[in-house]
Amino acid sequence: MSAHRFASTSYVDDDPRAAAREAAAELRRQLGGPPDWVVVFFSSEMAPEAVVAGLYEVLPAAVKLVGCSSYAEIDSSEALTRSVSLLGGRSPALEVMTVALLPEGRPSFAVGQALGAQLAAFAPSLVVMLPDILTVNATQLLRGVQSVLGSGFPIVGGAAADGGRFERTYQLCGQALQHSGVVALALKGPLRIATAARSGYTPVSLPRTASRIENGNVLLELDGRPALDVYREFLGPRAGEIPAVSIEFPLGVIPSGHEEAPALTRAIFAVDEARRALVLGGDLPERGQVRILSATRREVLAGARAATELALQALPQPDFALVFSCLSRKVALGLQYKDECAGALALLPASVPTAGFYTFGELSPRDGISEHHESTFTLVLVQVAADSGGP
């Protein structure tokens, strides 16, 4: 019998301490003892201090734990609200490390370099990263980590969320709380990993050149014209619905020679009326080609299923899964948002422990290189090598 055990659980309760305590107790029960590591996602409507208190009424102080606040939580079968959702494991074949960093006045790329340096000494096989995009640029943070670990190193995760307020998110590393920077969990051992990222959105405008960008994510000009003016012209009679309508019409980064296949999706988080600019959640390449995207609800749901199918082709029998989807997808789907996870997760083998959340941006490899995504359904499937579990 394998010595590896993995489990996930979630608990919905208006009392955040009780929800965390009950979820942690159920996780211990399923694992047959205290976990070595835990990833936790909790509703932004819950007091984070109460969540920590409830978790550590049950979990040992030595457990390796990271987590963050969410827009909505995901368990093995559906999306939830006002819950605490956990994924944890016990495995003698895996070593685990957790890291928490604050910006402390450093550029996001430098924060990523510092994180990468700590991780490099550990030599992990997979990193789960949970940044706060209100205080760091997730694209530049990721590039900083990759400058140390290499562009092909697998990094997955999602940006902590606070509902749709964009005011303050929370991250956990052990019993410590923070509301800026990044936390990460690194797993080291004989892992097989499969990832996928799909949005379901398709181009609906002509290609445009991102001719002027500031700080990576403030799009000032498209084809030499104010970006907000170009965007408004495309929307036509719906331009008066800005910024709410931007959820339905994100931007897609189009790789050269592949005009029908956006490489990355960029959500429009805000508009700068004074500068006639679009403020994006992630960076765009200077002089890169972009197109406005759109999707029906059916296409958004199909994107989640396509991502899951793709990952399963590479790893049909995972030991556990992590899922990160975007708040913009939840908003676009409206009352159908639960169908996204229900339809995608039903494709996984029965009883695969799964946890995740709706994020302010996703991290997942695409074509072997981890990228910062938005408006995208991403997942990672993980399996511990069969010959590494002992008797």
Side-chain angles (χ1 to χ4, degrees), residues 69-352:
S69 56
S70 66
Y71 189 65
E73 305 76 59
I74 298 169
D75 70 5
S76 294
S77 60
E78 64 177 339
L80 304 164
T81 55
R82 296 197 61 80
S83 81
V84 176
S85 296
L86 309 178
L87 174 73
R90 301 178 71 191
S91 175
L94 299 182
E95 297 179 53
V96 187
M97 175 186 183
T98 57
V99 183
L101 287 179
L102 299 174
E104 297 177 326
R106 294 173 292 184
S108 297
F109 186 85
V111 177
Q113 286 180 309
L115 176 59
Q118 291 194 40
L119 294 170
F122 181 64
S125 306
L126 173 70
V127 169
V128 180
M129 197 161 74
L130 307 173
D132 169 50
I133 65 159
L134 304 182
T135 57
V136 296
N137 179 307
T139 308
Q140 295 171 24
L141 176 80
L142 177 61
R143 295 291 177 252
V145 176
Q146 291 171 324
S147 72
V148 180
L149 298 183
S151 61
F153 183 84
I155 299 170
V156 300
D162 68 346
R165 297 183 298 276
F166 294 93
E167 295 171 353
R168 173 174 287 190
T169 73
Y170 287 93
Q171 301 151 299
L172 306 179
C173 187
Q175 298 185 56
L177 268 172
Q178 63 188 58
H179 51 81
S180 66
V182 59
V183 299
L185 179 137
L187 297 175
K188 176 181 179 180
L191 299 181
R192 298 190 181 104
I193 301 162
T195 64
R198 291 289 184 274
S199 71
Y201 288 80
T202 56
V204 291
S205 78
L206 295 173
R208 304 280 186 177
T209 299
S211 50
R212 188 174 167 217
I213 301 169
E214 183 177 274
N215 297 328
N217 71 322
V218 180
L219 180 58
L220 295 167
E221 293 181 359
L222 287 168
D223 290 342
R225 297 182 55 217
L228 181 56
D229 292 0
V230 174
Y231 191 66
R232 280 197 167 118
E233 287 174 8
F234 171 82
L235 293 177
R238 299 198 64 188
E241 300 175 43
I242 292 175
V245 72
S246 63
I247 288 290
E248 299 178 43
F249 297 98
L251 300 184
V253 181
I254 309 299
S256 178
H258 297 82
E259 293 188 353
E260 298 305 318
L264 296 171
T265 304
R266 290 289 176 251
I268 298 168
F269 276 17
V271 297
D272 185 334
E273 292 282 357
R275 305 177 74 190
R276 293 150 71 190
L278 301 174
V279 182
L280 311 177
D283 286 9
L284 290 179
E286 191 81 40
R287 306 297 303 177
Q289 294 289 298
V290 300
R291 295 179 72 177
I292 298 171
L293 309 178
S294 186
T296 65
R297 290 178 179 176
R298 178 177 294 180
E299 290 168 332
V300 171
L301 296 174
R305 292 192 298 272
T308 308
E309 290 169 348
L310 181 64
L312 283 170
Q313 288 174 13
L315 194 64
Q317 294 295 325
D319 288 321
F320 63 88
L322 283 162
V323 177
F324 306 97
S325 189
C326 190
L327 89 154
S328 63
R329 298 174 69 85
K330 181 176 183 292
V331 173
L333 288 169
L335 295 177
Q336 287 184 272
Y337 85 93
K338 284 182 174 286
D339 295 343
E340 177 177 57
C341 289
L345 298 178
L347 301 174
L348 296 177
S351 303
V352 173

